[in-house]
Amino acid sequence: MLQKQKLFIIKIGGNVVDNEVALHAFLKIFSAISDACILIHGGGKIATSIGNKLNIESKYIDGRRITDDDTIDLVTMVYGGLVNKKIVTVLQALNCNAIGLTGADANVIPAVKRPVKTIDYGWVGDITADHINTDKLGLFLANGLVPVFAPLTHDGQGHVLNTNADTIASSLAVALSAIYDVRLIYCFERKGVLENVDDDASVIRLINNEKYAQLKTENKLFAGILPKLDNAFAAIAAGVNEVLIGDANDLVRNTTGDTIGTLITK
Amino acid sequence: MLQKQKLFIIKIGGNVVDNEVALHAFLKIFSAISDACILIHGGGKIATSIGNKLNIESKYIDGRRITDDDTIDLVTMVYGGLVNKKIVTVLQALNCNAIGLTGADANVIPAVKRPVKTIDYGWVGDITADHINTDKLGLFLANGLVPVFAPLTHDGQGHVLNTNADTIASSLAVALSAIYDVRLIYCFERKGVLENVDDDASVIRLINNEKYAQLKTENKLFAGILPKLDNAFAAIAAGVNEVLIGDANDLVRNTTGDTIGTLITK
């Protein structure tokens, strides 16, 4: 069997996107990766700040934004326009042939509006990896393009949907694992998963299923990291080769064999 | 020689983009075109309206927007995000596989920041047809995608540039005429170029160089149409097969041999 080509799917969070200096530093590092890459970004704080000026109130339930009519227009502008096109334009200046996308563009990520149970989240999209159109993504990657995703999808009925960037990253990773050797990288405000939350030098370099069970039994992990690790192991179980959690500044090392963050494998 | 494939490059103006009902009606017609298509849109009034709420003053000199730092962010949001992604999402619902682009995406339209002579237009881009990257556009078209352009380009140095939509349309038409049989269509608030400005039935159905010279000599054209016709003949001189000026509602007829607007040819 032919060896699959390496693909890095990299998600950057608010700590990188919301800070222009950090973002430019990150994009410089990102643009130097020679393997195939996909970038997924957020932009929540910028949306909140512009929303405040437009008198669009940011409403959250359990940490999730409620996306009413005004809010979907706001995030379509900010994520799909301001943040996405700025990133693409800076990457182009760094000789990285970026193409900005939402899930609606080329119908790459069709989604379903989240059904209302106890909470009406509004124009929020749920996606599954098996609906992702890997043919068009594969076409872009094969032609040297670097897809840059805003966290937006669509419902196939004419509506943009606000969609969690972590979920877009893991769904893309699962879907593209059929054709690529995928490493999914979550850039994070720490060096990796820490054994001691106060000590950046205590990064746990490798976590497999067995180690994860052991860490949970020993109660060694700080609470906030558990959902991230559960998501990572779900992606691994669904076919992703490796997930890495690490600092955006360590991206160069973390796209090599000699990683410096926390590498998660079977 | 093989016959070139037909390509329609269609520019819609403010009268279509700024009115949600008119826009949806237009997109329904547009989505039914079976030949290869590219759409270019504006969005000036929506940008002005959101800019007013954000206290970003819209400044014009000789009818052209002055694009300062705040304004380029505003139009990047509105043209590249809000308007572009709404159009793409509605087209997807109509089974038209649209992909939203600015000139920065895939580096399709590199531009030069307009040099300051007597007026500083700010972050405004000037483009020439010979810089357009037709290889990536050809790739998208050959794979059934319908590019939808916001009127934005980039300077290759990390800046988005505000760029006239008519100019983007004609430059794309000229550049793509090397590989396609291009009809450039300017959608317009009238049925076409009128012999009598008060009579929609007086459309001049065909204007070639000879007829144009004659119309100018006879002083038969209303002043506003002259720059449009000059641009059309410049595109024809640069290799575009046909330019059509007509009503957005007549798009079906105007993408056939039996046109109803004003067809401009050599």
Side-chain angles (χ1 to χ4, degrees):
Chain A
M1 204 179 100
L2 274 172
Q3 209 181 340
K4 288 180 189 168
Q5 201 194 327
K6 195 89 203 160
L7 171 66
F8 296 106
I9 298 183
I10 300 167
K11 190 252 163 174
I12 44 171
N15 60 322
V16 181
V17 177
D18 301 330
N19 175 326
E20 196 141 343
V21 175
L23 179 61
H24 276 71
F26 169 82
L27 293 175
K28 192 163 183 188
I29 297 170
F30 177 84
S31 68
I33 302 173
S34 57
D35 292 285
C37 282
I38 295 177
L39 183 64
I40 299 103
H41 65 81
K45 276 191 199 162
I46 301 172
T48 300
S49 149
I50 293 175
N52 287 341
K53 291 185 196 162
L54 291 170
N55 283 320
I56 299 172
E57 194 192 343
S58 294
K59 282 162 281 186
Y60 293 88
I61 296 180
D62 298 337
R64 287 179 181 267
R65 191 187 282 272
I66 304 297
T67 309
D68 61 12
D69 291 355
D70 285 342
T71 304
I72 192 64
D73 281 357
L74 172 68
V75 297
T76 301
M77 288 200 305
V78 174
Y79 300 164
L82 187 62
V83 177
N84 190 266
K85 298 314 171 191
K86 273 199 179 178
I87 290 176
V88 166
T89 304
V90 170
L91 285 175
Q92 287 292 348
L94 294 161
N95 289 316
C96 170
N97 203 355
I99 180 167
L101 298 171
T102 68
D105 296 294
N107 192 27
V108 173
I109 315 177
V112 172
K113 184 173 185 286
R114 183 169 300 163
V116 178
K117 290 176 187 166
T118 50
I119 299 167
D120 183 355
Y121 287 100
W123 298 110
V124 167
D126 288 328
I127 57 177
T128 49
D130 54 338
H131 286 111
I132 288 177
N133 287 314
T134 53
D135 60 334
K136 289 293 186 288
L137 274 173
L139 178 77
F140 299 152
L141 291 167
N143 283 279
L145 294 171
V146 175
V148 175
F149 276 95
L152 300 168
T153 60
H154 76 124
D155 67 357
Q157 294 167 61
H159 304 105
V160 181
L161 297 172
N162 194 5
T163 304
N164 183 273
D166 281 9
T167 311
I168 289 184
S170 64
S171 300
L172 287 172
V174 170
L176 287 162
S177 286
I179 34 178
Y180 289 90
D181 172 13
V182 174
R183 179 180 294 173
L184 170 61
I185 301 181
Y186 286 109
C187 292
F188 188 48
E189 64 272 28
R190 296 176 180 278
K191 290 281 168 191
V193 180
L194 304 177
E195 195 132 8
N196 172 357
V197 73
D198 297 319
D199 179 9
D200 254 3
S202 72
V203 171
I204 307 170
R205 298 288 285 272
L206 191 76
I207 305 182
N208 57 19
N209 276 305
E210 196 183 348
K211 174 87 177 169
Y212 190 35
Q214 182 200 327
L215 287 165
K216 283 197 284 193
T217 307
E218 293 172 2
N219 227 342
K220 277 204 165 162
L221 298 164
F222 64 100
I225 201 71
L226 285 172
K228 275 191 200 296
L229 285 171
D230 284 341
N231 284 341
F233 279 104
I236 298 280
V240 176
N241 192 21
E242 300 165 322
V243 181
L244 190 134
I245 298 179
D247 188 317
N249 293 310
D250 296 332
L251 191 63
V252 173
R253 274 283 293 276
N254 286 334
T255 52
T256 64
D258 179 29
T259 56
I260 200 171
T262 298
L263 191 67
I264 295 149
T265 65
K266 266 189 211 161
Chain B
M1 205 181 100
L2 273 172
Q3 210 181 340
K4 288 181 191 169
Q5 201 194 325
K6 195 91 204 161
L7 171 66
F8 296 106
I9 298 183
I10 299 166
K11 191 254 165 173
I12 44 173
N15 60 321
V16 180
V17 177
D18 302 331
N19 175 326
E20 195 141 344
V21 174
L23 179 61
H24 276 71
F26 169 80
L27 293 175
K28 192 164 182 188
I29 297 169
F30 177 83
S31 69
I33 302 172
S34 57
D35 291 285
C37 282
I38 294 177
L39 183 65
I40 300 102
H41 64 81
K45 276 193 199 161
I46 301 172
T48 299
S49 149
I50 293 176
N52 286 341
K53 291 185 195 162
L54 291 169
N55 283 320
I56 299 172
E57 194 193 343
S58 294
K59 282 161 281 186
Y60 295 87
I61 297 182
D62 296 338
R64 288 179 180 265
R65 192 187 282 273
I66 304 297
T67 308
D68 61 12
D69 291 354
D70 286 342
T71 304
I72 192 64
D73 281 358
L74 172 69
V75 297
T76 301
M77 289 202 303
V78 174
Y79 300 163
L82 188 62
V83 176
N84 190 265
K85 298 316 170 190
K86 274 200 178 176
I87 289 176
V88 166
T89 304
V90 170
L91 285 175
Q92 287 292 348
L94 294 162
N95 289 314
C96 170
N97 203 356
I99 180 168
L101 298 170
T102 67
D105 297 293
N107 192 28
V108 173
I109 316 177
V112 172
K113 184 174 184 287
R114 183 169 299 163
V116 178
K117 290 175 187 166
T118 50
I119 299 168
D120 183 356
Y121 287 100
W123 299 110
V124 166
D126 288 328
I127 57 177
T128 48
D130 54 339
H131 287 111
I132 288 178
N133 286 314
T134 52
D135 59 336
K136 289 293 186 288
L137 274 174
L139 179 77
F140 300 153
L141 291 167
N143 283 278
L145 293 172
V146 175
V148 175
F149 275 94
L152 299 168
T153 60
H154 77 124
D155 67 358
Q157 294 167 59
H159 303 105
V160 181
L161 297 172
N162 194 5
T163 305
N164 182 273
D166 281 9
T167 311
I168 290 185
S170 64
S171 300
L172 287 172
V174 170
L176 287 163
S177 286
I179 34 179
Y180 289 89
D181 171 13
V182 174
R183 179 180 294 173
L184 170 61
I185 301 181
Y186 287 109
C187 292
F188 188 50
E189 63 271 27
R190 298 178 179 276
K191 291 282 168 190
V193 179
L194 304 177
E195 194 133 7
N196 171 359
V197 74
D198 297 319
D199 179 9
D200 254 2
S202 71
V203 171
I204 306 170
R205 298 288 285 272
L206 191 76
I207 305 183
N208 56 19
N209 275 305
E210 194 184 351
K211 173 86 178 171
Y212 191 35
Q214 182 200 327
L215 286 165
K216 283 197 284 193
T217 308
E218 294 173 1
N219 227 343
K220 276 207 165 159
L221 297 164
F222 63 101
I225 202 70
L226 285 172
K228 275 190 202 294
L229 285 171
D230 284 340
N231 284 341
F233 279 104
I236 299 279
V240 177
N241 192 21
E242 300 164 324
V243 181
L244 190 136
I245 298 179
D247 188 318
N249 293 309
D250 295 332
L251 191 63
V252 173
R253 274 283 293 275
N254 286 333
T255 53
T256 64
D258 180 30
T259 55
I260 199 171
T262 299
L263 191 68
I264 296 151
T265 65
K266 266 189 211 161

